[in-house]
Every structure is written in C-alpha cells, then in structure tokens.
Amino acid sequence: MLQVKASMSSDLASLNSADILIVDDVPENLRLLSNILLSKGYNARKALNGQMALKAVAGALPDLILLDIMMPNMNGYQVCECLKTDPRTADIPVIFLSALSEAFDKVKAFAAGGADYITKPFQVEEVLARVENQLSLRAAIKLNQQLNLQLEARVKARTLELETANQKLQQEINERQLLEEQLRQMANSDSLTKLANRALFMESLEQACQCAQAQADYQFAVLFLDCDRFKIVNDSLGHSVGDELLIAIARRLEALLHPKYLLARLGGDEFAVLLTNCDLNQASEIAEKVLQEFTVCFDLQRYEVFINASIGIAMGNTEYQRPEHLLRDADTAMYRAKSLGKGQYSVFTPAMHDDALQVLQLEIELRKAIERQELFVHYQPIISLPTGKITGFEALVRWQHPQLGLIPPVKFIPVAEETGLINQIGEFVLRTACEQLHLWQSEKLVNYPLIASVNLSARQFAQTNLIEQIEKIITETRIAPENLKLEITESAIMNNPQAAKIILQQLRDRHIQLCIDDFGTGYSSLSYLHQFPVDILKVDRSFVNCLDRDGEDVGLVTAIIHIAETMNMKAIAEGIETPNQLVRLRELNCDFGQGYLFSKPLSVQDATDLLLSAPKW
Ligand code: C2E
Ligand code: MG
Ligand code: MG
C-alpha cells in the first residue's frame, strides 16, 4: 500500500515537467501555445507539419500532443490515425486544435483517436485546463497500469508460491502413501517367498466366508499344502538350501495358479491357496495339477531336489462362521492325505474332524495311561526256522484302557510319536522286556540264551540321550547286550541317514543286535543299506503274505533274503500265518520266522508256559 502511494505522488509530481509536442502549420500558433505551456513549466516541442510531428514522436515519446487539424499534405486526423495504429504511440493522448471558423467534426475527431479538442483563438485557461486534464488522466491510467502490473506480479508470485507449496504437499502425500503401501505389503507378505502371509490369507478367507453367507450359491475352497519330508532337506542339505527350495516352490506354484487365486505361505513348509468361485471338481483338478508339478525336480543352485507334497482340500460353505475353522479342516484333510501315503490330496469330510478329535482325546488319555500304568507288554515268539525252536520274543506294547478296552498299538503309537510320549513309552517297554528276559534266563526255562527284540521308534532314534538310556537299562536289568535286539524301521533311519549311521555304530560297538523292521516298505536304497551296521533284515508281512499266491511277488521275498545273505545279515520273516508260507520260507533258507502260525503275542504267563512246553515247529 505504501508503495502504491509513493509511486502515485511521484507520477503527479512529474506532470509539470511533462513533455508536450505542439503540431501546427502556423508558426504564430506554435509560438503562442509553447509560451503558454513553458510558462507553466511544461517542456514544449514544436512541429510545423504531420511528417515532422511523426519524426519528433519517433525521436522521443511525448506525454501529450496538441495537434492542428487543418494542415497541408497530411491533416491532423491522418497524423492521429498514424499514431494510434502504432502500439508504441497509441497511448499518447492527442488534443485536436481547431479554428472555430473551420468545419470541425467532433465525431470524426474522437473516431480518429482524439482525447479532447481546443478551439482557436486559444484561451490560456482553457488550454491549460485541458492539457492538465489529459496529463492527469494519462498519469492516472499509467498509475493504474502500473498497479495492475504490480498486482499481477504479486498474484503470479503468490500463485507460484501456492503451486510450489501444493507440489510439496502432494509429494509428501505421495511419499506417505508409498510408505503406507510398503508397510502394508510388509505386514501382509511373507519375507522369504514374497507371497501373501498367513494374516492376509486369513483376511481374504474371512471375506470369502462372508461372501458365502450373503450369496447362497457362492462356492470356494481352501487348498492346504505341506511338503513331505521337508525336514530331511533342511537337516541334510542345510537351512539355506531349504529356504531356496521354498522360494522355488513358491515360484512354481505362482506360475501354475491363476492370479485370481490367493497363494500364501502360512509358515514353514506349509502353503495355502484360496480358490474363489470354485467347485469341488475344479479344486480337485487344481490339486492334481499342483501334485503333478511336484513330480518335476527342483533345480537349485547347488542341488537338484525332488520333493513331494500332500494336499488337503476343504470346501467353503455357509456353516463356516470362522475362517480358521475352514483352514483347520483343510489341514486335517492334508494330514489324512499324508497318512494315506503322502504325495496325494484328500478332501475334507466331517468324519475326519471326528477322527482328529479322537486323536486329541487319545493323546489326553495316553498321558494318563502312563501315570495309571495301563500299559503292559506282550511277547511274540520268534522261531529259528532251521531248528523250529523259539529263539526269543518280540516285545509289543499293549494298552488296556479302563473304558475303551484294549487299544492296539497302531492306533496309539503314531499319536505317541507325534506328541513325544513315545520316549517314555519306549523306555518302559525296553525296561520291561529286559527285566522279563533276565527273569526267564535266571529261571533257566531253556538251556540257551533267549533274545528280546524291542521296537525303537523314529522319534526315540532321534533322542540325544538314547545310548545312555539303553546302557543304563542293560546294566540295571543285568542282561547281556548281545541278547538284546533293537528293531528300527527303514524310515526312521532314512529320516536322517548321517545321524543314524553314527547311532547304529555306537549300538553295534556295545554288541547290541540291530534289525531293520518292515524291510521293503520304506525308502532305503541298497546303496545306503551297506553303510549301516545292521545284523538282520525283517521281511515285511505284506511280502510274506504274497507267498501264498503262487508265483506272484515271491521274487521279492527271495530278493530280500538274498540281499541279507550277500550282506552277511540274517533274514527274518514276519506275519507267517500258513504252513505253506513256512514251507516256502524254509526252502528259501530264511533264518527266522514270526507269526500267528506259531503264536500270537502272549502275556508273560502264556509266554512262560509256551517256553516251558518247549515247542518245535
Ligand atoms: P511290528 O514291529 O512290525 O510288529 C509286528 C506286528 O505284527 C505286531 O502288531 C504283531 O502283533 C503283528 N503280527 C505278528 N504276527 C502276525 C501275523 O501272523 N499276522 C498278522 N496279521 N499280524 C501279525 P502289533 O502288536 O499290533 O504292533 C503293530 C506295530 O506297532 C508294530 O509293528 C510296531 O511298529 C508298533 N509297536 C508295537 N509295540 C511297540 C513298541 O513297544 N514300541 C514301538 N516303537 N512300536 C511298537
Ligand atoms: Mg517290530
Ligand atoms: Mg514289522
């Protein structure tokens, strides 16, 4: 505001020193006007005709022109028009001079661009008044223009300021949004595989459940995938290879599945897929395709790895109130697939849930069973096939439940394995069997040393204090270690071959006999077998069964017995039920036999009686 005031007063002050051009072809008029103006402090220039006037204007722009109309060659109107067409001079105010006697056309004068007019003969006051008027007007216009320019400049500056601030704000918003997006991604994605994580999966699953509630015909499914024997990769090749494999699996699944399905890593070696708008047929087809993908080996940096997967499918329906129930059921179905032999898929049915509950109940009961001493051991005789006499017994655990009755080991051993209770159970069986063996031996029921065979589970086999535990029992029950035989399944050994080799050697060093149980049903390759210090191969019951069906698969029993022979091991056939099987096994030079044909597993009393009767088959 101050600025405006200052510039206005300076403009007004300059009015008096204004430069005025007088154009008239009559020198007398020129002189007269110039004197009037000079007397008032104006600067007056003179021109005698139009051409001179235009030249004078071009030389220096006057603040005002007094212009005679009637002039030879170029009249005042023409001069004025010339000035008005040139933008540099268009603004200069022109006051026309006209003699009263001349025919003066005001309309024409204003149309030519004139600002005012003065009639001759001049009256000094009128001339000065009109001149001052025009100069003030021009000054005001100029000032106005200046103010406008200043205002424009300030508006421009302010606009620019606002724009910059706006840009900055926008940039900040963008940065914040980016950060938020990054945080959201971090919260929702699995850092190893970059797939969706459990949180995001559960969120999407909840939405799908809500969709199903709102829309009766909406179908969706959850596919739960767990790698089979992934632990072996981690344990034998290292965790970084395990991680590499998980990433490779993620990428392969991602490539296979349509992007509309949500693929997530739930943790460990577990993946899940949310199949939206999908019926059971489609879900099964996808599960088959996924399993097919797992038949191709994974090409990692340093290793080629084959790995299988088991899949559980649970179909969504309106009864699912909570997403975690659906995931739990898919998980249950996956476990069913695993127990059916891995590398397959299974669809959840409510019966599976009941089974799972039963397993849970069984676990609770099993814990109590140990405290309440509901477990006991039965003994099944093992026969030397060349002599037909009992060489020893296999100790087989039994569970007499007060309400449920006798529960078979196939039902509770897997639960015990899963929960770790097997360590306690195994120790109990080993101690009981060794004590019994010592008792029989001290009673001298037979005149040769009997052998006790005890099963060792995979979980026990991985126990760090296993050797000490066994040594302690042997010492305390005072049996000879060579009269103890431990039965280990192939899969327990193959779970961790390196560690198994060491443990087996430690047992062998203590003269304990070692037997591979259920031989032929596991994973062992012959190239592995010779590395393990094992004394006996136990031919699985399923192969012995085949001996009755003429010709079929007999080769397998023959082969296993032959393998044992060439590796300097003994062979024992389990599950002998018919005399025919016995005959054929004897023909094949099998060393030992065990089965219902001889005797079922017996109580201590029955086993003692049997020994006393000294049977010979
Ligand atoms: P296994 O070690 O292979 O034991 C042999 C199983 O075959 C026993 O079943 C036995 O009763 C059964 N069997 C023996 N002869 C015949 C026959 O002629 N025909 C048929 N059909 N079966 C026969 P059981 O006692 O039910 O035990 C099943 C499995 O449970 C055992 O298989 C073993 O893997 C496990 N198990 C039993 N007791 C123990 C134990 O104390 N510790 C561990 N870790 N596992 C045990
Ligand atoms: Mg056994
Ligand atoms: Mg067996």
Side-chain angles (χ1 to χ4, degrees), residues 517-518 538 540 574:
D517 204 351
D518 306 339
K538 201 167 191 181
D540 191 67
E574 67 177 352

Side-chain angles (χ1 to χ4, degrees), residues 63-75:
D63 295 307
L64 177 71
I65 300 172
L66 299 179
L67 183 57
D68 186 24
I69 295 171
M70 295 303 285
M71 292 186 295
N73 295 332
M74 201 180 186
N75 65 26

Side-chain angles (χ1 to χ4, degrees), residues 129-196:
R130 291 192 190 274
V131 163
E132 221 162 80
N133 233 356
Q134 282 309 317
L135 286 173
S136 314
L137 194 65
R138 180 167 156 81
I141 289 170
K142 263 192 173 169
L143 186 65
N144 193 26
Q145 280 173 347
Q146 254 177 27
L147 287 176
N148 273 345
L149 281 176
Q150 274 179 17
L151 202 65
E152 257 172 45
R154 286 174 59 190
V155 167
K156 237 188 208 167
R158 186 81 191 116
T159 313
L160 202 73
E161 244 172 55
L162 284 175
E163 269 173 14
T164 321
N166 223 354
Q167 273 173 7
K168 220 173 134 194
L169 192 70
Q170 191 57 47
Q171 200 178 339
E172 272 169 22
I173 291 173
N174 289 348
E175 276 168 13
R176 208 188 54 218
Q177 281 174 344
L178 201 74
L179 199 71
E180 276 172 2
E181 176 62 19
Q182 280 172 348
L183 284 175
R184 208 176 55 81
Q185 273 185 4
M186 263 161 66
N188 283 333
S189 87
D190 167 53
S191 57
L192 179 69
T193 61
K194 306 289 173 259
L195 294 180

Side-chain angles (χ1 to χ4, degrees), residues 465-482:
N465 63 345
L466 180 72
I467 301 284
E468 292 144 51
Q469 193 186 77
I470 294 172
E471 268 188 334
K472 190 163 177 263
I473 291 174
I474 288 176
T475 324
E476 286 173 7
T477 58
R478 288 170 290 147
I479 62 152
E482 56 271 26

